[in-house]
Amino acid sequence: MIRLYDTMAREKRPFVPLNPQRITMYVCGPTVYGRAHIGNARPAVVFDTLARLIRHEFGANSLAYARNVTDVDDKIIAAAEAEGVEPAVITDRYERHYLEDMGALGVTPPDIAPHATQEIGAMVEMIERLVGLGHAYEAEGHVLFHVPSDPQYGVLSHRDREAMLAGARVEVAPYKRDPADFVLWKPSGEGVIGWDSPWGRGRPGWHIECSAMIRAHLGETIDIHGGGLDLIFPHHENEIAQSRCAHAGAPLARFWVHNGFVDMGAEKMSKSLGNIVTPADLLAQGHRGETLRLALLSAHYRQPLPWTEALVAQAKATLDGLYRRAGDDQAGDIDEGVIDALSDDLNTPLALSRLSAVEDAGSLKASAQLLGLLQSSAEQWFQSGGDADAIEARISERAEAKKNRDFAAADRIRDELKADGIVLEDGPGGTTWRRE
Ligand SMILES: [Zn+2]
């Protein structure tokens, strides 16, 4: 029996799905305008691990897991303007990078990856319904959700009105009936990405995207809704209000699961603070994705995770030990102690410590694989360990060749590395590499 901590109930509850043949899980995905940092990778790895556990427990085809791609947003528009390209150039590039980076961390792509720009119809339909029911109103080309129309608003974050207004950092706008009201639709000026709607040409607000896509792909009420702690308010509170008001009171999700932050020193890792470390950087330094995955799973998902070099080094040492002990045995049966630990609110630190006590090599391998670890053979793992310096040296050689306009030599180095499974990527900050 899996038990999960539900943010709304503020306690661990037994996870009993509505329909065990089709368990539904939605996780708020990336806004694709820049490279993901390791804090962004945490929910991807945490919910990938939860998905593995659910599939183990209920069957390989039991889960419908959706993670959206926010590909229309003011930050995307700004990034596109800065580069003088269409927004799609930005969103295609960074979605590709996101999938590569998460793939390197052993994250299986979700079953459904809805894109906001492909689902505008469903959003317009939901907004129209909210307007018709008196929960939203049009004002100066905008459509706003009227927060006082929903007496249950605040049910997830348990905040009173004053705390909500402070937490939402609400934008004061003359067309708002109430300062807490939030945008469902906003006008797009000329030359800005937009779609025709009953309220003129415009684009959706962020919150409505998730509500509309959950309804379209998974249903009115889903089993698990996940995301980072920072999404509880206002994003998830707003999703709940929109969906419940549009669906005659049906709850949006039965379990609300939130992961904690990755910290850098005393601060949360975030783009706006400029203190980010990306999986791409770490992979370029020669760390392997599996090491980063283990580092991300080394703390309980609800706890803050301080990111340090020592953490990464420890994760590497732990993996070396696991690979040494597992050898090249076939995967056997998963250890019950590991399953019990994961079933208790995804207690990955306990699961990892139980792994260290599993004696049978085949069982160790199968148990680690449930966590998305020990995906290569021991031989591969130890072979590819010490060659990061050699790869860096070849990259310098190639840069030198390019500087001398000896492109044939540069291409040859790239091809030779490719034959060894090393892919080079040229960017504005130089060349990075990753394993295929
Ligand atoms: Zn969302």
Side-chain angles (χ1 to χ4, degrees):
M1 168 72 77
I2 299 172
R3 287 154 54 83
L4 288 174
Y5 183 88
D6 174 12
T7 307
M8 191 180 286
R10 292 166 148 170
E11 63 180 12
K12 272 192 238 178
R13 298 199 289 121
F15 177 64
V16 182
L18 267 181
N19 172 3
Q21 266 97 56
R22 189 174 190 265
I23 300 168
T24 47
M25 176 161 86
Y26 182 91
V27 175
C28 298
T31 301
V32 280
Y33 71 102
R35 206 84 195 215
H37 60 69
I38 202 82
N40 303 138
R42 193 177 191 190
V45 168
V46 162
F47 290 100
D48 178 68
T49 307
L50 180 56
R52 287 168 192 261
L53 176 67
I54 289 172
R55 292 195 166 108
H56 171 74
E57 203 68 15
F58 293 91
N61 298 317
S62 61
L63 178 67
Y65 172 19
R67 186 182 67 204
N68 65 312
V69 177
T70 299
D71 58 355
V72 53
D73 177 272
D74 289 353
K75 291 191 271 292
I76 293 168
I77 294 170
E81 277 173 3
E83 281 194 32
V85 296
E86 292 297 312
V89 174
I90 300 289
T91 56
D92 289 351
R93 181 197 307 156
Y94 289 109
E95 182 182 356
R96 188 162 40 79
H97 282 314
Y98 182 83
L99 292 174
E100 284 165 6
D101 293 345
M102 296 312 124
L105 302 189
V107 174
T108 306
D111 306 293
I112 309 163
H115 289 63
T117 55
Q118 308 301 313
E119 314 263 343
I120 302 292
M123 295 183 221
V124 167
E125 199 176 293
M126 187 175 264
I127 297 170
E128 279 186 301
R129 191 182 315 190
L130 289 168
V131 172
L133 291 166
H135 290 292
Y137 59 94
E138 184 185 1
E140 298 181 21
H142 294 69
V143 183
L144 293 118
F145 186 92
H146 191 41
V147 168
S149 78
D150 175 14
Q152 287 191 54
Y153 191 85
V155 68
L156 177 69
S157 53
H158 310 281
R159 290 182 189 222
D160 61 23
R161 186 176 159 83
E162 221 151 277
M164 282 194 287
L165 287 177
R169 281 178 241 105
V170 292
E171 205 186 320
V172 182
Y175 48 80
K176 281 187 180 181
R177 283 188 200 160
D178 185 280
D181 294 353
F182 59 88
V183 168
L184 301 173
W185 187 263
K186 57 184 162 188
S188 287
E190 204 165 317
V192 176
I193 187 169
W195 292 263
D196 290 331
S197 82
W199 319 284
R201 190 172 164 280
R203 58 191 191 278
W206 173 40
H207 313 300
I208 194 69
E209 167 185 336
C210 292
S211 284
M213 299 201 287
I214 290 170
R215 169 72 185 77
H217 293 278
L218 299 176
E220 289 186 358
T221 299
I222 58 174
D223 289 303
I224 299 171
H225 193 314
L229 270 182
D230 52 337
L231 298 184
I232 294 175
F233 188 84
H235 182 55
H236 288 166
E237 198 71 75
N238 291 352
E239 282 188 30
I240 289 173
Q242 295 161 161
S243 294
R244 209 191 33 236
C245 290
H247 300 145
L252 174 55
R254 301 173 59 249
F255 285 79
W256 286 88
V257 180
H258 292 100
N259 65 275
F261 299 133
V262 174
D263 296 332
M264 289 295 272
E267 282 174 325
K268 168 194 166 191
M269 187 184 293
S270 85
K271 237 170 235 165
S272 56
L273 292 171
N275 61 352
I276 61 170
V277 177
T278 67
D281 295 337
L282 292 159
L283 294 168
Q285 287 162 23
H287 297 298
R288 272 166 291 175
E290 220 168 87
T291 305
L292 308 180
R293 182 182 182 98
L294 177 59
L296 285 168
L297 293 175
S298 63
H300 187 261
Y301 74 92
R302 285 195 285 122
Q303 298 303 317
L305 174 64
W307 191 264
T308 60
E309 280 181 22
L311 174 76
V312 179
Q314 179 59 53
K316 164 76 165 56
T318 303
L319 274 169
D320 284 346
L322 291 175
Y323 270 110
R324 206 166 288 128
R325 287 172 45 225
D328 278 329
D329 276 37
Q330 292 292 317
D333 292 332
I334 300 176
D335 180 75
E336 284 300 322
V338 172
I339 295 177
D340 286 350
L342 291 178
S343 299
D344 182 14
D345 195 28
L346 210 66
N347 192 337
T348 54
L350 183 59
L352 289 168
S353 85
R354 291 202 168 149
L355 269 188
S356 64
V358 175
E359 279 175 20
D360 177 74
S363 171
L364 173 62
K365 184 159 211 172
S367 308
Q369 285 179 346
L370 181 60
L371 288 150
L373 303 172
L374 298 197
Q375 302 287 346
S376 354
S377 70
E379 199 189 339
Q380 284 169 334
W381 177 261
F382 288 112
Q383 242 176 24
S384 53
D387 54 7
D389 291 346
I391 294 166
E392 290 295 342
R394 299 287 282 158
I395 289 174
S396 303
E397 228 178 286
R398 176 167 166 268
E400 195 59 33
K402 276 167 87 174
K403 216 169 80 190
N404 298 329
R405 309 193 64 77
D406 185 356
F407 297 110
D411 288 346
R412 196 183 60 239
I413 294 169
R414 169 189 283 271
D415 292 344
E416 283 169 7
L417 286 169
K418 177 126 188 32
D420 290 338
I422 306 297
V423 180
L424 302 187
E425 279 172 7
D426 295 318
T431 301
T432 60
W433 63 273
R434 62 181 167 82
R435 287 172 212 282
E436 225 165 5

